Amino acid sequence: MKIVKALFCLLAITVFGATVLSSARADTWDKKTVVTFSQAVEVPGKVLPAGTYTFQLLDSPSDRHIVQIFTADGSHIITTILAINNYRLEPTGDTVMKFSERPGDSPEALRAWFYPGDNFGQEFVYPKVRAIQLAQTTKVIVPAVAVDTLDDNTIKTVPIVAVTPDEKEVEVATVIQTTPPVTPAPAAETEELPQTASAMPLLALLGATFIGLALGLKLVLKLAS
């Protein structure tokens, strides 16, 4: 009976652990984050009134980073936007970063969204006209697409470019670090250490050890007979 109880407890612990790990991996993958804004903010193609929202990555078969923004309880989707990894952005302790400047009384535009523990930001891709305005105002490079609105088809295929403060359009990879920086591998040591001693002492020690083991085994067999 004790063996059956032990096996049952082990099975229960295993199932519970698998459930917890599955949930943790899902949250880490989609980076689900709840954010509260005290004032209206701009995201690509939309202005969000002050309030609480849920940000998460879409589980998409494409290689795009597609961010979905929901109501606070996650029951209603508000907008879907494109993003790219940016390893040059520095986390500030906040979940999202705002552009440092804005014209007049317009809502602040969100630049990126950081998930806890990430060393990169999900930098938002703006429509090209708006990206040019933000680049000129804030003096930073802004990812852009050449369309004002994105549907389920274009969001997976529309080309992404980067707009500079002087209105130049360049390839994203040339100005934004979208992949982890490569750390050079340490050089392999090729020099051989000088031989300072003979291998004879080691061989003698191994021989003595084997002899001792043989004698011990012989004694055990003798006592057991």
Side-chain angles (χ1 to χ4, degrees):
M1 181 63 68
K2 290 183 178 179
I3 295 177
V4 174
K5 288 183 178 180
L7 290 174
F8 178 78
C9 291
L10 180 59
L11 177 61
I13 292 172
T14 303
V15 172
F16 174 75
T19 303
V20 171
L21 286 174
S22 176
S23 175
R25 288 171 182 167
D27 288 343
T28 302
W29 186 92
D30 63 21
K31 304 184 184 296
K32 183 178 180 180
T33 307
V34 178
V35 184
T36 299
F37 300 114
S38 59
Q39 58 185 5
V41 295
E42 178 187 357
V43 295
K46 186 175 288 291
V47 173
L48 303 177
T52 301
Y53 302 90
T54 298
F55 285 59
Q56 69 181 54
L57 286 178
L58 173 66
D59 184 6
S60 170
S62 69
D63 60 354
R64 291 295 178 87
H65 290 249
I66 302 175
V67 178
Q68 292 181 312
I69 302 178
F70 294 83
T71 52
D73 60 2
S75 62
H76 176 67
I77 186 169
I78 298 173
T79 187
T80 301
I81 57 181
L82 269 176
I84 60 173
N85 285 344
N86 190 338
Y87 284 84
R88 289 179 181 170
L89 288 177
E90 293 292 334
T92 61
D94 298 325
T95 301
V96 287
M97 291 176 53
K98 300 175 182 178
F99 282 103
S100 58
E101 298 181 19
R102 55 178 174 168
D105 297 327
S106 61
E108 290 184 291
L110 296 186
R111 181 179 184 186
W113 158 43
F114 285 96
Y115 185 77
D118 284 350
N119 63 340
F120 59 91
Q122 297 287 335
E123 186 164 6
F124 298 140
V125 180
Y126 278 81
K128 187 175 180 181
V129 174
R130 182 61 178 140
I132 292 174
Q133 295 172 346
L134 290 171
Q136 291 176 330
T137 302
T138 60
K139 307 303 180 186
V140 298
I141 296 171
V142 181
V145 290
V147 295
D148 293 328
T149 58
L150 296 171
D151 56 33
D152 292 341
N153 293 322
T154 57
I155 199 170
K156 299 175 183 179
T157 58
V158 63
I160 301 174
V161 297
V163 175
T164 66
D166 55 358
E167 299 186 38
K168 291 183 179 179
E169 184 178 308
V170 296
E171 293 185 10
V172 172
T174 63
V175 291
I176 297 177
Q177 183 76 48
T178 58
T179 57
V182 177
T183 303
E189 295 184 3
T190 57
E191 295 183 1
E192 295 183 359
L193 296 176
Q195 295 184 355
T196 58
S198 171
M200 290 302 296
L202 178 60
L203 294 176
L205 177 61
L206 290 175
T209 302
F210 283 125
I211 293 173
L213 289 174
L215 293 175
L217 179 60
K218 182 177 180 180
L219 178 62
V220 171
L221 293 175
K222 182 177 181 180
L223 293 175
S225 61

